Amino acid sequence: MAQDCYLSILQQYWGYRDFRGIQREIIESIGSGHDTLGLMPTGGGKSITFQVPALAKEGVCIVITPLIALMKDQVQHLRDKGISATAIHAGMSRKEIVVALENCIFGGIKLLYVSPERIGSDLFQNKLRRMKVSFITVDEAHCISQWGYDFRPSYLHVADIRRLLPHVPILALTATATPQVVEDIQDKLNFEHRNVFRMSFERKNLAYVVRNTTDKYGELIHILSSVQGSAIVYVRSRKRSKEISEMLNKHQIPSTFYHAGLEYSQKDERQKDWQQDRIRVIVATNAFGMGIDKPEVRLVVHFDCPDSLEAYFQEAGRAGRDGNRSYAVLLYNNSDQRKLHKRITDTFPEKEFIKQIYEHLAYFYQVGLGSGSGHIFSFDIDKFCRTYKHFPIQTDSALKILERAGYLDYETDPDASARLMFMLNRDELYKLESTTAHEELVITALLRNYGGLFTDYVYIDEGLIAQQTGLNQQQVYLLLKGLSQRRILHFIPQRKTPYITYTQRREEMNRIIIPKEVYEMRKEQYVLRIQSMIHYAENDDVCRSRQLIRYFGEEKSRDCMLCDVCLEHYTNQLSEDRIEPAKAIITAFLHDGKKHHITELHQLNIPERQLHGALAELISEEEITMEGSFLLMEN
C-alpha cells in the first residue's frame, strides 16, 4: 500500500511513470522509520528520495544542505508544484527565520530547508522542540566526515538535532563517498543500524579521457570542434573563466562564463542561455553545476586539474545524464602536478602563520584580549592582505582552519539575493493612494513574478524587476528602500561582503591551539587525495572508469572500452606483431582437421581481444571456416 502511495505522489507531482535506480528502496527504508544512507552519483535523482516520502508522512521534513543557491532553487520548484516548502540560512534576519519556523510549527510547511549554520542556534533548537518532524534529510552528507573532501564543521551540529529528536529517523545522501567516509557518516549521525543503499558508480555511456598536452588552449578548441553538443569547461579561477570564454567566442564557439562573483541576475541569465542552448559552452568555476538539470550535456572538460577525485567525479558526472555517449576530458601536463603539490602548502599553511593571521585580525578590528565574543565584522580580504602583506589564498585557508578550531565563523559566500515581504495585506495594498507611478510599476512587477509575498520572505531579482518596469537597477533599489521605510514592505538588499564572527573571546597568540584532527590529520587526508588525483591523471595502464569506481570502494568492475586507456590497449592488442602469433597458434590448434567448438580456443591462453582479432582475420582470409559455433581448417 505504501508503495502505491509513493508512486501516486511521484506521478501526481513530478509526472514520472516510475522510480529509477535505488530511489524506491531508499524511500521505503526512510518511510519505514529506518536510518538510511543513500549513495547516488550525480544525476541519480537524490531529491526525489526525500521529497516523495516527505509528502507521504505527517509533519515537516527538515532538509540540511550547505548549498544556499540550490536550496532556494528547490524551494521555488516545490512551490511551483503546489508543495509547501521554505528555507532558512545564515543570510537571513532573525525576523525572517522566526516567520519560517512558526509556519513549520503550525503545520503549514512540508519541507524545511536549513543551512547547517542555522541548526546550531538556540532559536532554531527551541522552535524545533515544538515541531512535528517526519524525518531529517542530510544532503551532501560527506560534509559531516572529517575524512570527506569537503568537511564543514557546522555539519557537526546535526548530531545536536539527533539528541533533541532521538526517535526521528535520518536520511543521509551523498554523491561521493569513499568506504572510510561511508562508515564515518553513519558514526557521526549515530545510526541505530548500518543501512546503506548504493547505486553503481559506473557510467556506461561516459568516456573518461586524459589528454596530456602542453597547449591546453589549442587542445580545448580541437575537442570542442570534434565533439558536438552542449559543453561545460571547468577552470580554477574567475579570471580564467572569462579569458577562455572570450577565446572560444573568437573561434566561433558560442560561449559564456560563470562564477560566484557575478550578480544573481547575470548568473541566472547565463545559466538559462546555456540550458536553453542559446549558448553552447559555459566556462565555469566549481560554483556552477549543483542542481543543474540538463541531461543532454555531451562534454565536460576540466581545463585545470581538481584537487580530489571526489570533485572530479561529481563534475565530470554532469555529462551524459540522458544515457547517450558523452565525454569527460581532463587536460593535463607536468605543470598540473606542481600546481597540485603547491595547493597543499596553500591549503595548510604553517601553524605560526595561522596564529599570525588570528593576531592581525584582532589588530584589524581592534579587538582587545578577552573580548570580541559574538561580535560580527564584515571582512574585506584584499584590504586585510594589503595592510599586513599576506597572500589572499593562504589567508583564506588560515581563516578556515581557525574556524574548524572553533575560534571564529568565517562566512565566505553570504547569500547575494535581495528578498522582501509585504507588511500590508493584499486589500490594504490595493487601497493605498500615496504611491507614485514608478512605485506602482515595481509593486505590480513583484506581484506578477513572485508568489507568497504576503506570508513569507521571497527572494527577488532586482535586475528582472528593472527589465520589466523599464527602470534601471539603481532606481528599483531606491524605490524598494523607500517602500520599506514607509512599512509597505520589508526589503533586505543583497550583500556580498564576507564576514567574520568571533565565536569566543580573543586569546593571546601563543595560547591558540590548532588540534591534530583539524590540521595534521586533515592535511594527511588532503595529501592522499592530491596523490590519488595525480595517479589517476598519470596512470595509462588501468581503465579510467575502473580507477574511479575502485576509489569509491566498488570492487566489481570491468574495462569500459570507452576511455583513452582502453582504446589504446585495444589498438595495441590488435597490432600486427600481436595478431600474427595469435593466428599461428589458432591454425596449429586446428591443424588436426577436426571440428572444434569455439569455446575450446579459450584454452590457448590468447588475450581475448587478440583472439577475436586473429579469428576475424583468419575467417576473412578464408584460412578457416566457421559452421555455427564450430571451427575447422580450410582444405
Side-chain angles (χ1 to χ4, degrees):
M1 189 67 184
Q3 290 184 14
D4 294 338
C5 167
Y6 297 139
L7 189 58
S8 65
I9 289 170
L10 180 76
Q11 293 170 346
Q12 178 184 347
Y13 290 99
W14 284 270
Y16 299 141
R17 292 181 62 186
D18 205 348
F19 295 105
R20 58 191 174 98
I22 58 172
Q23 285 177 332
R24 183 186 288 280
E25 291 94 317
I26 292 174
I27 288 167
E28 289 175 357
S29 177
I30 190 64
S32 300
H34 302 304
D35 292 336
T36 306
L37 171 57
L39 301 178
M40 303 177 76
T42 303
K46 282 193 298 176
S47 58
I48 290 289
T49 64
F50 61 85
Q51 290 171 349
V52 168
L55 294 181
K57 293 174 76 70
E58 189 182 349
V60 59
C61 169
I62 296 173
V63 185
I64 300 163
T65 175
L67 307 164
I68 292 173
L70 180 60
M71 183 191 295
K72 294 190 306 181
D73 193 47
Q74 287 206 2
V75 167
Q76 191 57 53
H77 282 313
L78 289 167
R79 287 177 173 176
D80 291 344
K81 294 179 190 296
I83 298 168
S84 55
T86 193
I88 62 172
H89 52 75
M92 294 167 66
S93 70
R94 183 182 178 86
K95 184 176 180 181
E96 291 175 277
I97 293 168
V98 169
V99 169
L101 293 175
E102 288 291 336
N103 285 339
C104 293
I105 291 167
F106 295 128
I109 301 294
K110 290 304 293 181
L111 290 113
L112 168 64
Y113 286 76
V114 192
S115 67
E117 293 80 13
R118 291 295 91 197
I119 60 178
S121 71
D122 291 339
L123 171 62
F124 178 80
Q125 293 188 8
N126 288 335
K127 297 290 186 184
L128 184 65
R129 291 183 176 93
R130 294 168 54 202
M131 284 183 209
K132 182 171 181 58
V133 179
S134 54
F135 63 96
I136 299 160
T137 299
V138 184
D139 197 14
E140 307 298 324
H142 57 270
C143 293
I144 202 171
S145 172
Q146 287 272 50
W147 318 123
Y149 76 103
D150 195 20
F151 169 68
R152 307 197 182 193
S154 55
Y155 256 67
L156 298 175
H157 292 308
V158 180
D160 298 337
I161 295 188
R162 194 92 228 234
R163 284 190 287 274
L164 287 172
L165 305 172
H167 303 301
V168 173
I170 282 190
L171 170 60
L173 297 167
T174 181
T176 47
T178 60
Q180 183 184 23
V181 172
V182 167
E183 288 301 306
D184 200 33
I185 289 170
Q186 294 174 89
D187 287 338
K188 290 286 193 302
L189 294 176
N190 299 316
F191 269 41
E192 201 168 298
H193 304 288
R194 291 290 188 260
N195 187 27
V196 184
F197 294 87
R198 291 180 173 86
M199 268 179 75
S200 173
F201 283 81
E202 185 179 14
R203 294 285 303 280
K204 294 180 181 178
N205 65 309
L206 186 55
Y208 297 101
V209 178
V210 176
R211 280 277 179 270
N212 206 306
T213 176
T214 53
D215 179 15
K216 289 191 178 186
Y217 291 92
E219 188 67 29
L220 178 61
I221 292 167
H222 170 71
I223 291 167
L224 287 166
S225 302
S226 304
V227 178
Q228 298 307 304
S230 185
I232 307 172
V233 177
Y234 278 109
V235 294
R236 287 282 295 182
S237 74
R238 296 177 181 185
K239 182 182 177 184
R240 182 167 277 175
S241 70
K242 184 178 180 182
E243 287 174 355
I244 292 178
S245 177
E246 289 173 348
M247 183 268 293
L248 293 177
N249 283 316
K250 285 178 184 174
H251 285 83
Q252 284 71 56
I253 300 173
S255 168
T256 189
F257 63 95
Y258 184 107
H259 56 70
L262 296 172
E263 294 291 338
Y264 179 79
S265 54
Q266 287 179 302
K267 287 192 280 191
D268 190 52
E269 181 184 0
R270 291 175 189 196
Q271 184 175 309
K272 283 179 180 173
D273 283 345
W274 176 76
Q275 283 186 296
Q276 295 169 13
D277 294 323
R278 291 190 288 268
I279 290 289
R280 182 188 164 204
V281 181
I282 191 159
V283 186
T285 62
N286 60 5
F288 178 79
M290 296 304 291
I292 298 301
D293 184 20
K294 187 173 173 68
E296 70 281 7
V297 177
R298 296 277 71 86
L299 176 68
V300 172
V301 179
H302 278 81
F303 193 91
D304 297 313
C305 197
D307 55 10
S308 74
L309 284 175
E310 289 94 332
Y312 178 71
F313 184 78
Q314 193 166 52
E315 290 163 4
R318 289 174 187 138
R321 293 187 189 177
D322 59 0
N324 295 326
R325 177 65 58 83
S326 304
Y327 299 87
V329 182
L330 172 63
L331 301 181
Y332 187 81
N333 57 40
N334 290 336
S335 69
D336 285 300
Q337 186 184 126
R338 290 195 299 274
K339 289 174 185 173
L340 285 169
H341 282 302
K342 185 178 183 300
R343 281 185 214 167
I344 297 169
T345 53
D346 282 346
T347 306
F348 290 91
E350 294 294 325
K351 282 188 173 182
E352 281 307 307
F353 174 80
I354 297 167
K355 293 177 181 180
Q356 191 178 59
I357 291 294
Y358 180 82
E359 187 83 346
H360 286 168
L361 203 63
Y363 299 159
F364 192 60
Y365 294 122
Q366 297 184 330
V367 176
L369 285 169
S371 64
S373 180
H375 287 216
I376 302 172
F377 303 96
S378 61
F379 183 61
D380 183 338
I381 191 168
D382 293 326
K383 183 180 178 183
F384 176 80
C385 290
R386 281 196 308 272
T387 303
Y388 296 102
K389 297 181 172 54
H390 296 310
F391 290 108
I393 292 174
Q394 290 94 325
T395 299
D396 180 74
S397 296
L399 290 169
K400 287 174 179 173
I401 291 168
L402 285 166
E403 179 180 37
R404 292 191 187 108
Y407 289 99
L408 48 85
D409 280 337
Y410 176 41
E411 177 57 66
T412 57
D413 190 23
D415 186 68
S417 297
R419 53 201 181 278
L420 61 81
M421 180 174 76
F422 278 105
M423 308 303 287
L424 304 180
N425 64 38
R426 194 178 290 270
D427 289 339
E428 290 171 330
L429 187 65
Y430 290 147
K431 291 175 183 175
L432 278 177
E433 295 179 355
S434 58
T435 50
T436 66
H438 280 173
E439 286 173 339
E440 287 289 340
L441 283 173
V442 169
I443 290 170
T444 303
L446 287 169
L447 294 172
R448 186 185 301 129
N449 287 283
Y450 303 103
L453 286 163
F454 295 96
T455 56
D456 202 352
Y457 285 88
V458 174
Y459 292 95
I460 66 160
D461 181 355
E462 293 165 78
L464 175 66
I465 301 300
Q467 184 183 343
Q468 293 193 353
T469 57
L471 304 168
N472 63 44
Q473 205 158 325
Q474 179 65 12
Q475 285 175 300
V476 170
Y477 170 80
L478 292 172
L479 287 163
L480 289 172
K481 288 284 283 184
L483 290 167
S484 189
Q485 286 165 1
R486 287 158 55 198
R487 301 192 60 75
I488 293 169
L489 52 80
H490 186 220
F491 171 59
I492 301 171
Q494 64 180 18
R495 64 187 170 98
K496 286 189 173 182
T497 309
Y499 60 83
I500 284 172
T501 305
Y502 276 79
T503 53
Q504 55 178 275
R505 62 187 180 83
R506 179 195 160 192
E507 293 281 359
E508 291 180 11
M509 181 175 162
N510 60 3
R511 297 187 66 181
I512 295 296
I513 298 168
I514 301 170
K516 186 178 178 182
E517 59 270 19
V518 167
Y519 189 87
E520 284 85 359
M521 291 169 72
R522 284 194 56 75
K523 182 177 181 179
E524 183 183 335
Q525 290 293 318
Y526 187 69
V527 170
L528 289 173
R529 283 196 288 275
I530 292 283
Q531 289 172 345
S532 296
M533 191 71 234
I534 292 170
H535 185 262
Y536 170 82
E538 297 182 355
N539 183 344
D540 296 329
D541 297 321
V542 179
C543 163
R544 302 281 178 206
S545 176
R546 182 173 275 189
Q547 288 185 59
L548 286 168
I549 64 179
R550 280 180 179 172
Y551 180 78
F552 293 110
E554 200 170 320
E555 294 301 326
K556 290 183 180 178
S557 62
R558 57 185 177 182
D559 288 353
C560 68
M561 300 306 296
L562 297 175
C563 71
D564 58 309
V565 174
C566 285
L567 294 180
E568 179 68 22
H569 284 185
Y570 186 75
T571 303
N572 286 346
Q573 294 216 2
L574 294 183
S575 60
E576 190 173 335
D577 62 336
R578 294 193 177 198
I579 290 293
E580 287 304 318
K583 285 164 68 175
I585 293 169
I586 292 169
T587 52
F589 179 72
L590 298 175
H591 220 290
D592 59 7
K594 297 177 183 178
K595 287 186 180 180
H596 289 270
H597 196 274
I598 193 168
T599 55
E600 294 179 53
L601 297 185
H602 292 300
Q603 64 187 281
L604 301 178
N605 293 322
I606 301 170
E608 192 171 350
R609 291 176 200 146
Q610 292 174 32
L611 177 65
H612 290 308
L615 199 55
E617 284 194 18
L618 288 168
I619 292 170
S620 66
E621 293 164 2
E622 298 184 355
E623 289 191 39
I624 62 175
T625 301
M626 191 165 187
E627 297 177 0
S629 298
F630 290 88
L631 303 166
L632 69 158
M633 289 287 292
E634 285 281 356
N635 293 327

